[in-house]
Amino acid sequence: MFSGRSGLDRRENRLSQALRARRRQGRETIDLTCANPTELGLTPAPELLATLADRAALRYRPEPRGLHRARCSVAELMSRDGPPVDPERIVLTASTSEAYGFLFKLLCDPGERVLIPRPSYPLFEHLCRLESVEPAPYPLRYDGHWYVDRAALAAAIDGRARALVMVHPNNPTGSYVCRDDLRYLAAAGPPLISDEVFAPYALERDANAAGSAREAEDRLAFTLHGLSKLAGLPQLKLSWICVSGPDAQVAEALGRLELIADAFLSVSTPVQLATPAIVEQHGQLQRRILERLRDNHGALRRACADSPCTLLRVEGGWSAVLRLPATMDDEAWSLQLLEQADVLVQPGYFYDFERGPFVVLSLLTEPTTWRAGIDRVFDAIEG
Ligand SMILES: Cc1ncc(COP(=O)(O)O)c(C=O)c1O
């Protein structure tokens, strides 16, 4: 009765089962995984809400690619960090997930393939399957910094590969694609989809890190951003795609994207009307988020210094990856930390890490919780 693509794996993993059981028993848990700023004391000034109450929102005058003023404000914002962006090359969407959905419809027919980095954002698998396209992972390797395994990428590219996703900086490895790798990815063949939602959050950005993928002028590229990370407001549901590359391809892509967007018209009018003000005011919250990330990163680095754990380099983003002693796998570690130290961390396998054991922590965690949580993690490991 149902489609094959909606038959995604819904089984609960062992960590979620254990967490649910603890909650039933009323046991407290120190959560080092939350990455929702609105739950972590990182909310914008309440006056921002007023911008969502513009009376103009009482009228419905949809524009498939998004209201012109909203597109101008995000184009102007992107232009501050690179070559000027034409607002006519912006398409607004109601989340980055929707942007991926639009782009997979634009670029792929059912059964075709999208190249995705591994380890990376776990949602790619589902976003691909829901569009009836096949995720084709290409590995990232770590030797003090992360880089693309070019031989493995070349082997993954075949006639069915229709798009190449890069996440810049990547979640959760925090790694930016370096300039050399960006040149390689751009030359690899398929159009680029570059998820740059975490770009404003640089911590220890490598000098060789590439700029935005939109600077790879010879290649059709779709750069993704959104208020969810830029302004710490995931609940507003506003993201955008910036289309770049050879003019004729850009024009065709925009024409097709406009039709796709017209079938949904999913971005709400109030958020589009509020976007110029949010973009103008986002700096203050962004600075607080950056400060939180830096402080938590510093505390974690100090805690790691004399421990059997290794903190992988964090160039940017909201996560930290810890390599733990190889006495058990990452799932067993996360279960043990939950049961014996009352601390919730994510096991690396959630993100398809190959070796390990790795656990992933949210650098956005509230500072007192963070210090208590990492103390418990290190006590448990050293014990
Ligand atoms: C790589 C990546 N892209 C995008 C997003 C944000 O998605 P959305 O705009 O759908 O909230 C996230 C959220 O964690 C992410 O990790």
Side-chain angles (χ1 to χ4, degrees), residues 68-87:
H68 187 250
R69 273 196 59 215
R71 287 190 283 115
C72 285
S73 70
V74 301
E76 192 275 321
L77 177 75
M78 289 181 78
S79 305
R80 292 181 204 166
D81 292 325
V85 172
D86 179 353

Side-chain angles (χ1 to χ4, degrees), residues 94-98 100 120-121 123-124 167 169 171 195 197-198 226 228-229 234 237-239:
S95 67
T96 319
S97 293
E98 186 178 66
Y100 281 112
S120 191
Y121 189 33
L123 210 54
F124 289 139
V167 186
N171 175 14
D195 184 329
V197 298
F198 287 109
S228 144
K229 303 294 180 266
K237 311 300 294 178
L238 187 101
S239 297

Side-chain angles (χ1 to χ4, degrees), residues 302-325:
R302 287 189 293 279
C304 270
D306 293 314
S307 85
C309 307
T310 313
L311 172 62
L312 271 49
R313 183 163 177 191
V314 187
E315 283 186 69
W318 291 4
S319 300
V321 181
L322 267 187
R323 190 200 300 268
L324 303 188

Side-chain angles (χ1 to χ4, degrees), residues 116 120-127 171-172 346 349-352:
I116 54 171
S120 191
Y121 189 33
L123 210 54
F124 289 139
E125 173 85 22
H126 283 186
L127 292 172
N171 175 14
Q346 289 182 312
Y349 86 88
F350 282 6
Y351 298 88
D352 283 334

